[in-house]
Amino acid sequence: MTAHPTPPTEALMLLGDMTWPDFQRRAHTDYAIVPIGAVEPHGPHLPLASDTMISEHFAARLAHDIGGFITPSIGYGIATEPYRLGGTFPGVISVSGTTFMNLVGDVLTSLADHGVRRFVVVNSAIDNTGFLCEAARMLTERVPDARVVIVAWWDVVGEQFRDDLATETGVARRDDHHAAMVESSLVMHIAPGAVQPDKLAGETGAASQPRRMRYHVYPLPPEATTETGIVYTAEQASAHLGERVADQVARQLEDAIRLEFNDPRGQ
């Protein structure tokens, strides 16, 4: 398989590197690609900014594939529910829902005020989603000809692809959530120098069988927590698997954006 690393920064158009005349020329026609992440624990082996790294990777792949410019990342997000994190661990550096929604809304509005009308918000933290949707709704009510697509990697990876991966690896999808096999593999591929794979030796996230539930309880019952914050196993994670997932997501992401903006290939 041919590797598809993140395109080098110098090959991309970054908003922060543009002059105002550069921006003025591109604002009315280009996609504004906005990476959104979070700072929170991802097991003992992944960096706190894993979500932001993943969003930046797919923003770069998308900009390389369809054009547009990438805005500075919004790296602080909504605090993920303890149940999704596998418990309460140090490292959740979050902002309130109101602050987050206002920040995202202000950024989108500022871009729209300068003529931007095509927005792609690349998000990798699930608890951000509702607030991103509200910010987009408010923008499009204010600027009716603006269009905003909010997308996360799990939205476009594909059900059949995930099912096939589960069959191949023997890791059921019900065991593969936060900081587990697929997310760990993505970060191993995207930012190998930021991962500590030795911390996975002997991990027992799945074997310990925490109590699982579909609702939220505060504080989280001890028997519903994991030992490491891996929900529930990352034993089969690898950079090779991450490359396969990243390539699948990048293809599907490009297709989704071209569809939603009526932007056929070769145009």
Side-chain angles (χ1 to χ4, degrees):
M1 180 178 292
T2 303
H4 293 280
T6 304
T9 301
E10 59 269 20
L12 300 172
M13 182 58 69
L14 305 178
L15 175 63
D17 291 343
M18 296 163 69
T19 65
W20 71 260
D22 294 334
F23 176 58
Q24 187 177 52
R25 281 193 298 272
R26 303 177 74 107
H28 293 270
T29 57
D30 279 20
Y31 296 101
I33 303 172
V34 186
I36 308 285
V39 179
E40 62 188 24
H42 281 75
H45 60 301
L46 298 183
L48 295 173
S50 290
D51 292 329
T52 308
M53 293 176 177
I54 293 171
S55 289
E56 289 175 342
H57 174 82
F58 287 121
R61 295 277 295 261
L62 185 62
H64 179 267
D65 292 338
I66 68 170
F69 58 87
I70 303 172
T71 70
S73 302
I74 297 177
Y76 294 106
I78 303 301
T80 298
E81 302 288 351
Y83 179 51
R84 295 190 195 277
L85 294 178
T88 301
F89 300 91
V92 177
I93 313 298
S94 61
V95 295
S96 71
T98 301
T99 297
F100 178 76
M101 187 175 66
N102 286 341
L103 173 59
V104 173
D106 286 350
V107 169
L108 299 182
T109 298
S110 293
L111 290 165
D113 285 346
H114 292 290
V116 176
R117 292 297 183 267
R118 301 199 294 178
F119 299 87
V120 181
V121 178
V122 182
N123 174 49
S124 295
I126 193 168
D127 286 81
N128 291 341
T129 304
F131 297 92
L132 291 172
C133 290
E134 181 65 7
R137 184 191 66 79
M138 294 171 66
L139 173 72
T140 53
E141 285 185 353
R142 180 179 181 273
V143 186
D145 60 337
R147 190 168 185 82
V148 184
V149 174
I150 301 164
V151 63
W153 65 266
W154 57 84
D155 294 327
V156 294
V157 70
E159 296 299 312
Q160 188 62 55
F161 181 87
R162 288 297 305 272
D163 287 344
D164 292 345
L165 208 59
T167 299
E168 174 188 329
T169 61
V171 177
R173 291 181 63 174
R174 70 184 298 270
D175 293 331
D176 190 18
H177 298 287
H178 181 80
M181 182 183 71
V182 169
E183 187 172 31
S184 295
S185 296
L186 275 174
V187 183
M188 287 176 174
H189 169 59
I190 290 166
V195 180
Q196 300 181 49
D198 57 299
K199 299 293 177 61
L200 285 176
E203 63 97 353
T204 57
S208 61
Q209 288 300 315
R211 179 164 72 91
R212 304 188 188 189
M213 51 195 178
R214 294 184 177 273
Y215 47 84
H216 301 282
V217 179
Y218 287 84
L220 189 65
E223 68 273 16
T225 64
T226 65
E227 297 175 6
T228 62
I230 298 171
V231 186
Y232 293 93
T233 179
E235 287 178 332
Q236 298 297 319
S238 70
H240 175 67
L241 190 153
E243 179 185 343
R244 291 170 56 194
V245 174
D247 287 349
Q248 168 74 4
V249 170
R251 287 192 297 269
Q252 297 295 102
L253 177 60
E254 179 184 357
D255 288 347
I257 297 309
R258 290 191 184 281
L259 172 66
E260 298 306 330
F261 287 96
N262 192 27
D263 184 3
R265 294 176 188 275
Q267 189 167 288

